[in-house]
Amino acid sequence: MRAYIGTHQAVSTNDFVELALGTPVELWLGVEGETEEERAARLDAARDIVADNPNLPDDVSRIAAEAIEAYAPELFNVIPLARATARRTRSRRGVAA
């Protein structure tokens, strides 16, 4: 079975992610063995993309959450931690501060 997004064929998970983001995954994650110069250029390009599309981080977070919910919902099964309550201190006169 072949999967197409628009006119692009997606043959791997990375293809789906790249098509969803509109950029290669390596732009955001880097590649093993990249030089400092390559890293600086990659991060500069990423900053330009985010500047042109300020909603991109929110869109990526939404896409990631939807993928997790669809394919690994057990990752959302978390136990909420109890919140620390603020203690009220009493002054020498016994009045709450």
Side-chain angles (χ1 to χ4, degrees):
M1 185 166 102
R2 294 182 181 173
Y4 288 88
I5 297 175
T7 59
H8 302 282
Q9 182 179 4
V11 294
S12 70
T13 304
N14 279 349
D15 289 344
F16 281 105
V17 173
E18 186 174 327
L19 289 167
L21 292 175
T23 61
V25 176
E26 295 80 14
L27 175 68
W28 308 104
L29 303 179
V31 293
E32 191 174 328
E34 72 182 354
T35 65
E36 284 299 316
E37 187 176 275
E38 291 169 331
R39 182 177 189 274
R42 177 177 59 78
L43 293 177
D44 190 45
R47 277 190 290 277
D48 288 346
I49 290 169
V50 171
D52 290 343
N53 185 1
N55 293 328
L56 183 63
D58 291 336
D59 292 343
V60 170
S61 298
R62 181 183 44 75
I63 291 166
E66 288 172 359
I68 291 168
E69 188 173 45
Y71 298 105
E74 69 278 1
L75 294 177
F76 282 129
N77 293 338
V78 296
I79 300 170
L81 299 175
R83 294 187 125 193
T85 57
R87 286 186 168 186
R88 297 188 79 174
T89 58
R90 295 204 176 259
S91 67
R92 291 184 183 178
R93 295 182 185 167
V95 179

